[in-house]
Amino acid sequence: MKTLVCLKQILDPEIPPRDFTINRDSRQAVQGSANLVTNIFCENALESALQLRERSEGEIAALAFGPASAEDSLRKALALKADEACLVEDDSTAYRNSATTALVLAAAIKKLGEFDIIMVGREAGDWGAGQTGGLLAERLGLPCVTFVDHIEASGDGVTLRRQTELGWEKVEVKLPLVVTISNHEENVPRIPKTRDIMMSARKPVTNWKLSDIDLTDEDLKTTGDALDVIDLFIPEKKTDCEFIEGDSLDDKIDEFAKRLAGIVQSA
Amino acid sequence: MKNIVVCLMPGAQFDKSTAGLLASARGLKGQLTVIVTGTAEDDTTASLANQADAVIVAEAVGLNEYQPELVLGVLQTVCSDLNPDIVLMAGDTYSQELTPRLAGRLGGVSAGDAQSLTLENDNLRITRSVYGGKAMAVVELRSTPAVVWVRARSFAPAAPRDSSGSIEKRTVELSGDAAKHVDATKIVERHEESSGTVRLEDAMVIVAGGRGLGGSEPFEELKSLAETMNAQQAASRAACDAGWVPPHWQVGQTGKKVAPELYVAIAISGASQHLMGIADAKVVTAINTDSDAPIFKHCQFGLVEDYKAVVGPLTERLKALLS
Ligand SMILES: Cc1cc2nc3c(=O)[nH]c(=O)nc-3n(C[C@H](O)[C@H](O)[C@H](O)COP(=O)(O)OP(=O)(O)OC[C@H]3O[C@@H](n4cnc5c(N)ncnc54)[C@H](O)[C@@H]3O)c2cc1C
Ligand SMILES: Nc1ncnc2c1ncn2[C@@H]1O[C@H](COP(=O)(O)O)[C@@H](O)[C@H]1O
């Protein structure tokens, strides 16, 4: 089974709000003291791919579209024993919407070869668009299943488990297809060994410019114009919390219980 | 403008989500058509027609069950005929799955989690939370159709219109592109948590637990507390990822967006991604050992204590108060 995992490098989404700032003019977040990390759902996807390979063999390729720094996400994938890695380097700092990303990823995938399963995260932790998987499937002319959290080879296809509103579903699929991966206790990303991290520094990462995949800035402008960010701002919201006081724990619990009961009764 | 609202059957009724979805569309000018995929009850169709210019009930073999490629093909076929400017869907799993794919099929553009919709020179503008709830963005969609899923339950329902729209049943035959992957994926098993309980999204009271609980057993203790208050149980992502509770209990950016009268967060720190799920809660309160936990910045009142010392006696007190 040949799997391709798409990795997006983003600003660490778990930095506290007080450390998060934006540039309203460029409508982008400011990096400040935040680290660049691989989007968590991409890591869940890579973990799913690694587990699938352990169960039914095959190869894993990792693909990223982004600035030169995105190579770090690919190196980490190599440290976790991905077989090959490719960066489509973006030398612009412009906001890239999902339509543009899907265009670029699809062109790169066509050049990389044939894959049985193409995995993306359910959404990226920065813009939270959640559109790339579906758009990529349409660009590649493939079927797609979203919110997948388990993949099992079966016959000439695979069986997927995917999350739903009230539980889960089992989906039998033919290959090839695109899946978007969601988090689950089973695909919590493993940590690479120090030794493997050091080894990965020497492994090759294919570096392509847009021209290498036959795309022009004009192509990216067309998809870019279709959806653009007009404004970005930090909403103000603060509630003054009243901490429940009391002479003893019992008193506090008593007071807390009364408040809860009051709301429950009028709800 | 020609706008479409998509209602997926079965399961969809004229519930809070559908009502909010229609209200979001009615805030826009233009002709509104509702597409229902699969067989709908007559009173559901009638309620839909009260809110739109036209209702098209699309029927096809196998459509009374959600199969992604089939529903997509049917929507593609019906939408192509109507040549819409905007297509709106609700925020359920299936609608989220279909949104970008339908946009791809129709040559349009897609986005998700719209919290408000406006028109600017006939282009759709949406506001949505980004950066895990730390910022808001206004996004403009300039290609047609704009296919968008909206945070449907956050829109207040609109009153019925003066006259009701037309209702048409249409049998759809898939051909060409629309038929291409119909057999490629098949949902063969569905598992849903026992019925009879209220959906988390519609719950009036929610008791949620986080990583600070340290395991699955404390969720049992919270169950008694929840039962006492007639509440639903929920969790942070950390608790779900640990496997203490199932994934569909998760509240937040990538979990449920809830709107209860009361949300009790126990041993949850209040990361922005979690808070994104409770923006519509009326009263938020928390039990946490750390008075600096960000959750308290969103609480009307809170209790700085170890949950272990609180939950048992609190449940007893509430039993007495609420009996
Ligand atoms: C892209 C993305 C999407 C995400 N989506 C979601 C989402 O949908 N939902 C979500 O919840 N998270 C989401 N997260 C994760 C989020 O950033 C946080 O990591 C997560 O919410 C933390 O969960 P927690 O509050 O349970 O754990 P922690 O942050 O570890 O907090 C535990 C809390 O328990 C308290 N505590 C410890 N012991 C006790 C005790 N004995 N009594 C009382 N209090 C105690 C501690 O003081 C602490 O405040 C997402 C993250 C990313 C990057
Ligand atoms: N620049 C990128 N490079 C590689 N993969 C990406 C990129 N942007 C998005 N993706 C993939 O698409 C998923 C969803 O992203 P989005 O649709 O932007 O929320 C991510 O988890 C990635 O797997």
Side-chain angles (χ1 to χ4, degrees), chain A residues 10 12-14 39-41 123-126 183, chain B residues 132 209-214 235-239 244 250-257 266-275 277 287-291 293-295 305-308:
Chain A
I10 60 172
D12 185 353
E14 303 215 35
N39 176 37
I40 178 69
F41 300 111
E123 67 186 64
D126 49 4
N183 58 299
Chain B
R211 172 150 44 206
L213 292 178
S236 71
R237 168 164 159 177
W244 302 338
Q250 185 178 318
V251 166
Q253 177 183 354
T254 47
K256 302 271 154 51
K257 314 278 190 289
I266 304 178
I268 290 177
S269 66
S272 63
Q273 292 88 359
H274 186 79
L275 297 173
I287 304 171
N288 198 305
T289 40
D290 176 8
S291 63
I295 187 77
E305 289 293 343
D306 190 324
Y307 83 88
K308 293 191 202 89

Side-chain angles (χ1 to χ4, degrees), chain A residues 60-72:
Chain A
I60 299 171
L63 171 64
F65 168 51
S69 63
E71 191 179 312
D72 293 347

Side-chain angles (χ1 to χ4, degrees), chain A residues 16-267:
Chain A
R18 64 173 177 278
D19 294 338
F20 177 80
T21 51
I22 56 166
N23 179 337
R24 201 158 177 178
D25 294 325
S26 67
R27 301 180 300 283
Q28 303 228 3
V30 174
Q31 185 176 351
S33 59
N35 293 321
L36 294 171
V37 300
T38 307
N39 176 37
I40 178 69
F41 300 111
C42 301
E43 294 197 317
N44 294 134
L46 179 60
E47 178 61 35
S48 300
L50 291 165
Q51 290 178 16
L52 183 64
R53 189 179 63 181
E54 281 156 13
R55 284 194 301 266
S56 44
E57 300 190 337
E59 281 167 40
I60 299 171
L63 171 64
F65 168 51
S69 63
E71 191 179 312
D72 293 347
S73 290
L74 294 168
R75 295 252 166 241
K76 192 171 170 198
L78 290 171
L80 289 170
K81 307 282 172 64
D83 299 282
E84 114 182 74
C86 173
L87 172 68
V88 180
E89 200 173 321
D90 190 0
D91 48 21
S92 157
T93 55
Y95 164 73
R96 299 301 194 189
N97 65 30
S98 304
T100 301
T101 304
L103 172 76
V104 172
L105 296 177
I109 290 167
K110 280 181 192 151
K111 185 157 174 176
L112 283 168
E114 307 258 307
F115 295 93
D116 298 299
I117 307 181
I118 292 162
M119 295 186 188
V120 305
R122 58 174 288 167
E123 67 186 64
D126 49 4
W127 290 95
Q131 304 298 310
T132 304
L135 293 171
L136 182 61
E138 289 307 317
R139 285 252 171 221
L140 295 169
L142 296 176
C144 176
V145 178
T146 53
F147 310 118
V148 171
D149 66 18
H150 186 85
I151 305 175
E152 198 78 52
S154 66
D156 57 355
V158 288
T159 301
L160 311 172
R161 185 182 63 210
R162 72 100 148 254
Q163 299 170 1
T164 60
E165 306 293 295
L166 300 170
W168 52 275
E169 292 172 345
K170 232 181 210 176
V171 196
E172 283 177 0
V173 304
K174 292 182 185 153
L175 302 173
L177 92 163
V178 175
V179 297
T180 84
I181 299 285
S182 193
N183 58 299
H184 187 272
E185 60 168 311
E186 286 175 19
N187 65 16
V188 175
R190 65 189 73 181
I191 314 283
K193 297 194 188 86
T194 316
R195 197 185 109 87
D196 291 332
I197 294 174
M198 278 153 58
M199 299 277 282
S200 76
R202 290 203 293 274
K203 290 194 181 162
V205 171
T206 305
N207 188 302
W208 283 338
K209 305 278 180 231
L210 287 177
S211 56
D212 292 313
I213 49 173
D214 298 326
L215 287 175
T216 63
D217 290 338
E218 202 49 39
D219 295 328
L220 269 65
K221 192 175 175 311
T222 307
T223 52
D225 283 346
L227 181 149
D228 203 9
V229 179
I230 303 293
D231 193 11
L232 181 70
F233 59 96
I234 296 180
E236 272 181 61
K237 196 186 174 215
K238 232 193 177 107
T239 316
D240 276 324
C241 177
E242 181 195 342
F243 289 106
I244 304 287
E245 302 289 352
D247 291 337
S248 65
L249 180 61
D250 270 352
D251 285 353
K252 287 190 188 179
I253 293 175
D254 204 46
E255 176 60 22
F256 194 65
K258 280 185 189 139
R259 303 251 182 141
L260 297 186
I263 303 168
V264 171
Q265 272 159 345
S266 58

Side-chain angles (χ1 to χ4, degrees), chain B residues 142-164:
Chain B
R142 301 197 195 104
S143 181
T144 53
V147 185
V148 174
W149 68 265
V150 305
R151 208 182 276 190
R153 282 181 167 75
S154 302
F155 288 82
R161 297 167 12 136
D162 296 337
S163 61
S164 120

